[in-house]
Amino acid sequence: MAEVLSQQQIDELLGSLQSGNTDLTKIEEQTAAQKIKDYDFLSPKKFTREQIRLLQSVFENYSRMLSLYLSSQLRISCQTEVLQVEEEEYREFENALSDSVLVAVMGLHSDTYHVEDKQILMEMSRPISFSALDKLLGGNGSGYLINRDYTEIEISLLTYLFKQFANLLGDSWSNYFDISFSMDSIETNPQMVQSIQPDESVAIVVLSITLNELQGNLNICLPASSLEELFKSYDAKFVKANKHDAPHEKQLKRESILKQLEGTPLTVSAILGSTEVTLGELLNLHPGDIIPLESKVGPGSITINVEKLEWFKGTLGTLRKNYAVKVEKAL
């Protein structure tokens, strides 16, 4: 989340700009310089680089599913992408929220990893939420310039929408963990969320949502305590196993995978040749006409495709009175 200035800091900045005491060139140089963030040894990082990459992969899959769902539900063009995945303290996420927001509190459940009573937060920007409500109620999605609190009917509709978001979350995590998500409640005041301590480390995932010309964010807050048991299992099964596997164990795994794939059906096709004709020539074709191909007749003149990929070169012939192709070489 971006750093939020207080009203006093904003007033001081505007005053210095109006008085001419601020060097704009110096500000541009400071902005262009590399930003270095101090490491707080009193609050060590809870998420490793591997875990951040895992979250990136999970939510890239989630963004694709969310884009398809919103496009079909709202019947408008929708694009969703992951803007950033970073770790910070919960107080930074809470301070960046305005007084009137839409925060969905979702429960995280897993019998496999003995995870229960854990929560994550999902916050949707006001323009996106009001545009979605406008579309759900039969509008064209343009009624999003609204500056007021949500009504009970609007909260009920958004609760239904967030329930579908929770189901999609479970699907996006299913490739890695056997977990599910439930829609617990919706809060319009961030101060009402008391389940996360201000100094707790959280992973913030920012998704950019574009509905036609309107763009907004969907911010997802994942507390480290909620994901602790999941990451312990992931590190034990994947990260550590991959680091300490002996060469012969990797070879056995490779042979096992190849053996399981041996029975996979594949389409093999022999391409005699290809050519290009105009539409007029195609319409004037009659029985008995000859179409010259670009390939030459001879050994290795036939291309053999596996699925849609060129794999071999072969020669045309016969076998037991049937046409056949002899494989000459692999590509």
Side-chain angles (χ1 to χ4, degrees), residues 91-141:
R91 64 164 62 90
E92 298 179 30
F93 172 76
E94 187 178 28
N95 291 338
L97 300 177
S98 60
D99 293 335
S100 179
V101 295
L102 186 70
V103 178
V105 182
M106 297 185 178
L108 191 156
H109 316 280
S110 176
D111 295 333
T112 304
Y113 304 102
H114 307 289
V115 176
E116 197 66 37
D117 297 330
K118 301 295 184 180
Q119 293 181 333
I120 69 170
L121 305 180
M122 184 177 292
E123 184 260 334
M124 180 185 290
S125 60
R126 292 176 63 87
I128 293 293
S129 61
F130 277 114
S131 178
L133 285 171
D134 192 24
K135 286 294 297 182
L136 290 173
L137 295 174
N140 59 4

Side-chain angles (χ1 to χ4, degrees), residues 53-312:
R53 282 197 292 266
L54 172 64
L55 292 177
Q56 180 83 27
S57 177
V58 168
F59 282 97
E60 283 178 355
N61 185 28
Y62 179 67
S63 67
R64 289 190 291 268
M65 292 190 292
L66 184 63
S67 178
L68 292 174
Y69 172 75
L70 289 176
S71 296
S72 61
Q73 187 73 16
L74 305 180
R75 297 187 179 183
I76 57 176
S77 174
C78 175
Q79 296 293 330
T80 308
E81 63 177 346
V82 180
L83 289 185
Q84 66 180 28
V85 181
E86 63 179 9
E87 179 182 355
E88 59 186 37
E89 291 186 351
Y90 176 68
R91 64 164 62 90
E92 298 179 30
F93 172 76
E94 187 178 28
N95 291 338
L97 300 177
S98 60
D99 293 335
S100 179
V101 295
L102 186 70
V103 178
V105 182
M106 297 185 178
L108 191 156
H109 316 280
S110 176
D111 295 333
T112 304
Y113 304 102
H114 307 289
V115 176
E116 197 66 37
D117 297 330
K118 301 295 184 180
Q119 293 181 333
I120 69 170
L121 305 180
M122 184 177 292
E123 184 260 334
M124 180 185 290
S125 60
R126 292 176 63 87
I128 293 293
S129 61
F130 277 114
S131 178
L133 285 171
D134 192 24
K135 286 294 297 182
L136 290 173
L137 295 174
N140 59 4
S142 61
Y144 55 84
L145 297 177
I146 300 176
N147 187 17
R148 59 169 175 78
D149 293 334
Y150 296 92
T151 65
E152 293 295 330
I153 295 178
E154 290 169 344
I155 291 178
S156 298
L157 289 172
L158 291 170
T159 300
Y160 166 78
L161 203 61
F162 277 115
K163 284 181 179 179
Q164 309 311 312
F165 289 1
N167 294 334
L168 293 177
L169 268 178
D171 294 339
S172 65
W173 283 81
S174 62
N175 292 333
Y176 303 93
F177 305 104
D178 181 19
I179 60 176
S180 61
F181 295 85
S182 63
M183 175 62 200
D184 292 350
S185 63
I186 281 188
E187 301 292 345
T188 56
N189 185 353
Q191 303 298 329
M192 299 300 295
V193 181
Q194 302 293 332
S195 58
I196 306 176
Q197 298 299 321
D199 59 348
E200 183 172 352
S201 294
V202 296
I204 304 299
V205 182
V206 181
L207 302 182
S208 172
I209 300 178
T210 305
L211 303 178
N212 285 340
E213 303 298 328
L214 177 64
Q215 187 172 4
N217 291 342
L218 182 69
N219 301 314
I220 303 169
C221 175
L222 304 163
S225 59
S226 299
L227 304 178
E228 184 177 4
E229 294 299 326
L230 301 181
F231 284 151
K232 283 182 180 179
S233 175
Y234 175 79
D235 292 341
K237 288 185 178 180
F238 297 98
V239 178
K240 294 181 181 178
N242 291 335
K243 287 183 178 179
H244 301 290
D245 275 352
H248 71 278
E249 293 179 352
K250 293 182 179 180
Q251 180 64 24
L252 290 176
K253 287 183 179 180
R254 183 177 184 276
E255 293 176 355
S256 175
I257 293 173
L258 290 176
K259 186 175 181 180
Q260 294 177 12
L261 294 176
E262 284 180 354
T264 304
L266 298 172
T267 301
V268 179
S269 55
I271 309 300
L272 300 180
S274 61
T275 188
E276 292 184 1
V277 297
T278 64
L279 180 59
E281 292 172 335
L282 180 64
L283 295 176
N284 292 326
L285 284 177
H286 298 90
D289 290 347
I290 297 176
I291 302 177
L293 303 178
E294 296 176 352
S295 57
K296 297 181 179 179
V297 178
S301 61
I302 304 299
T303 300
I304 303 173
N305 288 356
V306 179
E307 295 296 334
K308 296 183 179 180
L309 300 177
E310 296 182 0
W311 275 55
F312 305 103

